[in-house]
Amino acid sequence: MDKELSQYSKEMAAQILAMYPEWKDVADTEEYNGETYFNLVITPPSKNAKAPLRIYTYGDEITVSFDSYHGHFFDLENNDGGDAKTLIDQIISDDSAVVSYWRDDEWCGSMLLDYSDVPTNNEEYPYANRIKIRTWSGKLDKDITCDPRG
């Protein structure tokens, strides 16, 4: 890369790799819109996930995404739990699942829930006719077909 990481990206990259040293070998940088940023892509054990775990620092914020869910953070860690590390840890545990709602191939919405709270119907998104539940390991993945309303 021709350009150097911002101070924010350097600091976040160092902290992330200190917390998750097993991911150091896949750490990289990307450039977009003239900005070079830290980029980490982790392939999950699940073969059903639509997208891998991705952690990147574009725009001096940390974005964490997995399957069809993502979150934006300014802090890697903070005391209230609304931080990137909390989301990363939720994703890589099988205690949480990404739940996405679909109407055929049209995405309706996604959320990250405790696995014990995953829905069994489309009450949250009545328009949806399919619910995809994706976990890090894939062992608890499932697809639910439902009758759309509306």
Side-chain angles (χ1 to χ4, degrees), residues 102-123:
W102 300 83
R103 175 73 171 249
D104 301 322
D105 291 329
E106 180 186 348
W107 174 79
C108 301
S110 299
M111 56 188 72
L112 184 74
L113 298 172
D114 273 358
Y115 192 80
S116 61
D117 294 331
V118 297
T120 57
N121 60 48
N122 60 348
E123 189 171 315

Side-chain angles (χ1 to χ4, degrees), residues 61-139:
E61 68 178 18
I62 302 169
T63 301
V64 177
S65 64
F66 174 65
D67 191 62
S68 55
Y69 181 80
H70 75 278
H72 300 274
F73 307 92
F74 294 109
D75 299 318
L76 180 58
E77 281 189 291
N78 64 36
N79 293 332
D80 68 13
D83 56 53
K85 184 181 184 321
T86 299
L87 180 57
I88 294 165
D89 290 345
Q90 287 173 318
I91 289 169
I92 63 176
S93 78
D94 267 344
D95 296 333
S96 296
V98 171
V99 177
S100 59
Y101 295 86
W102 300 83
R103 175 73 171 249
D104 301 322
D105 291 329
E106 180 186 348
W107 174 79
C108 301
S110 299
M111 56 188 72
L112 184 74
L113 298 172
D114 273 358
Y115 192 80
S116 61
D117 294 331
V118 297
T120 57
N121 60 48
N122 60 348
E123 189 171 315
E124 185 75 27
Y125 289 89
Y127 179 75
N129 63 6
R130 195 166 35 131
I131 302 169
K132 295 179 184 180
I133 299 168
R134 299 294 181 255
T135 58
W136 181 249
S137 73
K139 293 176 185 173

Side-chain angles (χ1 to χ4, degrees), residues 1-16:
M1 293 284 157
D2 295 316
K3 296 187 179 182
E4 193 173 309
L5 291 173
S6 70
Q7 188 61 35
Y8 176 86
S9 287
K10 284 180 189 176
E11 289 173 11
M12 292 303 107
Q15 290 177 32
I16 291 165

